[in-house]
Amino acid sequence: MSVNQQAHTGPPYGQPQPGYQGYQQPAYGGQPLPGVPQSQYGAYNGPMPGYQQPVPPQGYFPPLGFPSKGSPVSLNSDTSSLAPNFIGSSRAPPTSGAPPAASGASLPSGHLAYSQFGHGDVQNGIPASAAPMQRPPASQPFLPGSAPTPVSQTSTFQQYGPPPASVQQLSNHMAGMTIGSTTASAPPPAGLGYGPPTSIPPVSGSFSTTGSGLYTPYTASQGPPPTSVSQGLPLAQPPFPGQPVSTQRLPTQVPGFAPPPSSTGIGPSSYLPTTGAPRPPTMPGPPLPGQTIAGPPASQPNHVSSPPPPSTMSGPHPGPPMSGLHGPPPPTHPPQPGYQMQQNGSFGQVRGPQPNYGGAYPGTPNYGSQPGPPPPPKRLDPDSIPSPIQVIEDDRSNRGSEPFVTGVRGQVPPLVTTNFLVKDQGNASPRYIRCTSYNIPCTSDMAKQSQVPLAAVIKPLATLPPEETLPYLVDHGESGPVRCNRCKAYMCPFMQFIEGGRRFQCCFCSCVTEVPPHYFQHLDHTGKRVDFYDRPELSLGSYEFLATVDYCKNNKFPSPPAFIFMIDVSYNAVKSGLVRLICEELKSLLDYLPREGNMEESAIRVGFVTYNKVLHFYNVKSSLAQPQMMVVSDVADMFVPLLDGFLVNVNESRTVIASLLDQIPEMFADTRETETVFAPVIQAGLEALKAAECAGKLFIFHTSLPIAEAPGKLKNRDDKKLINTDKEKTSFYNNLAKDCVAQGCCVDLFLFPNQYLDVATLGVVTYQTGGSIYKYAYFQLETDQDRFLNDLRRDVQKEVGFDAVMRVRTSTGIRATDFFGAFYMSNTTDVEMAGLDCDKTITVEFKHDDKLSEDSGALLQCALLYTSCTGQRRLRIHNLSLNCCTQLADLYRNCETDTLINYLAKYAYRGVLSSPVKTVRDALINQCAQILACYRKNCASPSSAGQLILPECMKLLPVYLNCVLKSDVLQPGPEVTTDDRAYIRQLVTSMDVAETNVFFYPRLLPLTKADVDSDCLPAAIRNSEERLSKGDIYLLENGLNIFVWVGVNVQQGLIQNLFGVSSFSQISNALSTLPVLENPFSKKVRFIVDMLQVQRSRYMKLIIVKQEDKLEMLFKHFLVEDKSLSGGASYVDFLCHMHKEIRQLLS
Ligand SMILES: [Zn+2]
């Protein structure tokens, strides 16, 4: 148990900072506090004031135009001693730089709203393009009577005063720029490029309520349940006539795997452990068929059939026969008639390309009641094995209609793919924390026996949908937040007040602490403080505290952060049009820097640097008529040549900045410099932030391997043998990362490589500072600019906290032992992030260090100390209470497979840094086999050993695990570059559960089945080629890419409507966007694409794939239920393999 933890006051920070000069501090206490655009907090000042409502966020709207340019004016230095280069400006300051500024800007017509809420894990609902930007005031259930008031804005902008720093001798560092003529050459073909991570899908409309009555709230002992799958028979669950399958949460038997003797394997006995759980009736149905498929998996040639004839789409058994599949144990039972294949493969009524099963699946499993054709012997029907689509659909229909109320301990939330609202009644929303299990084994032995990892996936600054209430900001005054004396846990709903309210007992360490006089309150007859509902920290799972100076570095309140834009102006960057594009975009984007509440302007200051082999700093002080450039050519010992005028307020220096951004592309238009430096660029940004005594973010736009002579110079060592190993990094970059973290300098990297540029090394600093990497391979203006600009806009505007430290406290018996994500750790408990944005996720693993009790359960408290974009120091607290169990069945009924996969993927992706990939893969398979074998042995009813029985909550574990094993990091094909692998590895490590879900099991939508008259998405189908019809068009998205696949037999009319050409052969697969055509089908498809784009945290690359075209190979890589070209097993084969592994463990 981690008792005696220290306060969050300070991870080892860097060197002492010089005093601040001329900074005003934001007003604290007693005044309305600003709220962040994406998460505004109402002020909570002192006892019982009313909470303030969140304010509508500001969105970014692409400007209608750029400031106009005036006549040429020359740029001259006023600092002769620095001999700044003459920037032969051919342009004058813009005459109209004034942007739309101000909050609540209205959306220019014709422009897509850049929604703050339509991304990330706002998986639900209609997204942004259609969503309002305004956050409606949410009602506060516990505060009747105190009407929310709008947060008033507090401008915290401070003028940046020149820091004392000493300017070193610049003379010999200054150099002229190399300007030469350039010869354009044709850009290489665009590559796929990995884009972005993902998040969740908007669900198409069908949230049919299966009736809330059927949905019984989870109690400590209830849980979801097992699923067994048996061969050929979809039937896995015992028939519960009249009840929807998903509410039963029974084990699933995988058909095809073994013939259970007389029962499907789920006898009542398997539920015994569950105290209080409804006992399932015994299964009346006939025994499952008895094929045992224990055969060797994988490489059966006929598993992945090539393009099936269209007819397979309507037959009951899509796909080729799998006769090659089955090995040894021969079927012991004949196929059983009487079962219909409908359990998993077919969801819902017949939908499009899905096999047409007669029985309606949803809600009414009529197992055993309708005779169905027995499966051919020795064939494992893909429709009979657990279907992700079915599970997702079931959860949507069963749980999507009611809000998820967090008042009950240990409740398993709806899946990330379900659209639901959350009401905080004492536990953190699943948008902030999701767990692998909501019922933890009481003992370490039980945990080891099950092998189920205990982990939480935490996204501390997650964006909430507009309907949900943002965390309130609580101000406890000068004494700061009330905390336990011993473990330093923060006041939360689980603290127990005793002795008439004079003391409280800590729910984490049991220590008793005096209640500070100013915090005293009487208790009611139930022992609850009478102000319980008036204090967020007593009644809510998530809230914020205003931090006092004790929580600040060097005991000084921080200054507002700064953003520094650092642009590569080497030949490639200029030639591709990138430099001009970035400069044009920044002119407008700078007006949308993050701000809080309805502040008129952002408190964030900005600075600009360009570089190739040398660095150019710009003085953009508002008093200058023209910007000044200072060149530092001695990159070995980086320093910042100017302090006053480097970091400025956008509004004040608007004219000078606009002039600079106009001039940069011209200045370097003729450059012939191809070499770049990289580490000195980060060092320059870091030094600038140090000099300004603030935290901040560097936006680095970089194109090539930094081979120029300088610290951190890299060689072209594109050696696949080094992939994923620590050798990929150099200690130089690790040390630089450490320095950045100490200063709160977060690094975001936008890469535009035309060849290998060593992402693994360049990404070290980004990764350890909590930054993001974006990669646009073979960047071409025409096809990639939209994607890049959308990513840049979102990245610049999103909510971000700086100089962050996160600690997770736990109640006695378990403790956090391992952490995964983009951060730095200098000790074993504090996760430090120079920056933490609303998309970043940290996965935390827990281990037992003592026994837990069923009565008290287990508690987690995640505390994040950070600096807001206004420079305010805050603590965001998330609390979550979990159940504890003495029966393994309870553990298995309360697991969440999507979260489990998130953990396993991150664990494996880190594992490849120190172990061979095969070792990592084998360990993953072995762990999952043990998890399932433990269930089989301890929780399922006795049945034939040849039968595969899966817990209901984990019935998708095999299919999802297979997707992780086949992913580009664990089983790359030859086309996956070393840079791609490093990139993906880093991306996945920060993904939330929704993102890993769609990344590993992409969403496949039949566009031709879409209802053009509704806003719904067509029902998704399983990721297998045999589900595709030659006559249809499909969309596949995984959070990084969107593929639009067109079958060879698609009707001409549809092709005309979507692509504006008359035949299949005329469709260009070079399109990066769909043509805008005025017909319902085109509109619908573009609507769907826009909707998906808004939901993801990165803009996805659109790729048109024609059936039988060469790009189809790329597309097929994402049909994850099929065998992959790089050797990954098909789902069916992998299930067989897992079954074999489980049987070995059981025998
Ligand atoms: Zn304590």
Side-chain angles (χ1 to χ4, degrees), residues 1-4 483-490 495 504-513 809:
M1 176 57 212
S2 49
V3 194
N4 294 327
R483 305 173 70 174
C484 166
N485 271 348
R486 193 202 297 175
C487 74
K488 304 296 179 190
Y490 295 85
M495 296 291 187
F504 69 91
Q505 182 165 32
C506 178
C507 50
F508 295 93
C509 74
S510 300
C511 174
V512 173
T513 301
R809 291 183 172 78

Side-chain angles (χ1 to χ4, degrees), residues 572-584:
N572 280 336
V574 172
K575 182 195 64 181
S576 64
L578 185 62
V579 173
R580 185 173 298 278
L581 182 69
I582 294 168
C583 291
E584 282 300 308

Side-chain angles (χ1 to χ4, degrees), residues 249 446 826 1019 1041:
R249 306 211 146 219
M446 261 178 84
S826 57
N1041 299 298

